[in-house]
C-alpha cells in the first residue's frame, strides 16, 4: 500500500502482479493453496501469491530457508527432490533425498530422481522444469513446442 486516500487505495503495480514470476500454471498463484516448492515458492512469485508464509531458517542448516522447516529431515524426500528442499544448503532434505545426479542427454541437469525426466508427466518444479533439464525432458512444454525444442 503506497497511499490511502480515504476510500481509494493506490498500489504499486509490483504489489498486484508478479512480473518476474514464470510458472507453467499461473492459476495456482494466489489460489488459496500453498505450493511450497520453486518456482511457485519464490520471492518473484510472492511466495505463491501470498498463499504461503515467508521462509523460515531451518535449524542446523545455514542458509536453508523453507516454508515448512519440519519437512527437512523427516524421513521423506519431499516432492521428488524439488528445490529448495533438495538443495545442498538444505542437506538434500536433511538426508532424505538422494544427492542429485546427471541426466543422460541433459549434461547440466542434476536431479535427485533422473528417471522422472521425460517420463510423460510434467513435474512443474525446479530443477526438473528448467532449461537445463529440457523442461522435464519435454513433459512441461506445450505440444506445439515439444517436437522442436533442443538444448
Amino acid at each position: 500500500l503506497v497511499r490511502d486516500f480515504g476510500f481509494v487505495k493506490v498500489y504499486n503495480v509490483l504489489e498486484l502482479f508478479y512480473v518476474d514470476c514464470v510458472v507453467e500454471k499461473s492459476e495456482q498463484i494466489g489460489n488459496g493453496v500453498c505450493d511450497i516448492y520453486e518456482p511457485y515458492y519464490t520471492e518473484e512469485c510472492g511466495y505463491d501469491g501470498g498463499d504461503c508464509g515467508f521462509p523460515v531458517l531451518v535449524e542446523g542448516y545455514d542458509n536453508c530457508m523453507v516454508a515448512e522447516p519440519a519437512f527437512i529431515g523427516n524421513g521423506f524426500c519431499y516432492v521428488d527432490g524439488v528445490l529448495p528442499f533438495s538443495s545442498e544448503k538444505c542437506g538434500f532434505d536433511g538426508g532424505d533425498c538422494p544427492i542429485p545426479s546427471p541426466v543422460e542427454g541433459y549434461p547440466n541437469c542434476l536431479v535427485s530422481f533422473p528417471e522422472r525426466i521425460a517420463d510423460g508427466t510434467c513435474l512443474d518444479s525446479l530443477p526438473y522444469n528448467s532449461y537445463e533439464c529440457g523442461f522435464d525432458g519435454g513433459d512441461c512444454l506445450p505440444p506445439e513446442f515439444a517436437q522442436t525444442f533442443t538444448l
Side-chain angles (χ1 to χ4, degrees), residues 34-37 41 52 56-59 61 64-87 90-97:
C34 175
D35 296 304
I36 58 174
Y37 51 88
Y41 188 73
C52 304
V56 178
L57 184 64
V58 178
E59 188 176 326
Y61 294 95
C64 176
M65 298 187 70
V66 296
E68 296 290 340
F71 288 177
I72 302 291
N74 67 350
F76 178 73
C77 181
Y78 186 75
V79 192
D80 298 313
V82 299
L83 298 176
F85 297 93
S86 185
S87 65
C90 292
F92 304 106
D93 199 354
D96 294 338
C97 293

Side-chain angles (χ1 to χ4, degrees), residues 58-129:
V58 178
E59 188 176 326
Y61 294 95
D62 293 339
N63 301 317
C64 176
M65 298 187 70
V66 296
E68 296 290 340
F71 288 177
I72 302 291
N74 67 350
F76 178 73
C77 181
Y78 186 75
V79 192
D80 298 313
V82 299
L83 298 176
F85 297 93
S86 185
S87 65
E88 188 171 3
K89 65 185 175 185
C90 292
F92 304 106
D93 199 354
D96 294 338
C97 293
I99 294 174
S101 59
V103 177
E104 187 177 332
Y106 301 95
N108 296 316
C109 176
L110 297 171
V111 296
S112 293
F113 298 95
E115 67 275 8
R116 293 296 312 269
I117 299 291
D119 65 352
T121 302
C122 173
L123 190 53
D124 186 24
S125 55
L126 295 174
Y128 296 88
N129 190 10

Side-chain angles (χ1 to χ4, degrees), residues 7-76:
F7 63 90
V8 175
K9 292 183 180 180
V10 179
Y11 292 90
N12 179 325
V13 72
L14 295 178
E15 293 174 358
L16 301 175
F17 302 102
Y18 303 105
V19 294
D20 294 323
C21 178
V22 180
V23 295
E24 181 189 21
K25 299 173 185 163
S26 60
E27 67 275 6
Q28 287 184 215
I29 301 291
N31 67 349
V33 177
C34 175
D35 296 304
I36 58 174
Y37 51 88
E38 295 179 10
Y40 297 90
Y41 188 73
T42 59
E43 186 175 357
E44 293 81 11
C45 293
Y47 301 104
D48 195 20
D51 292 340
C52 304
F54 290 108
V56 178
L57 184 64
V58 178
E59 188 176 326
Y61 294 95
D62 293 339
N63 301 317
C64 176
M65 298 187 70
V66 296
E68 296 290 340
F71 288 177
I72 302 291
N74 67 350
F76 178 73

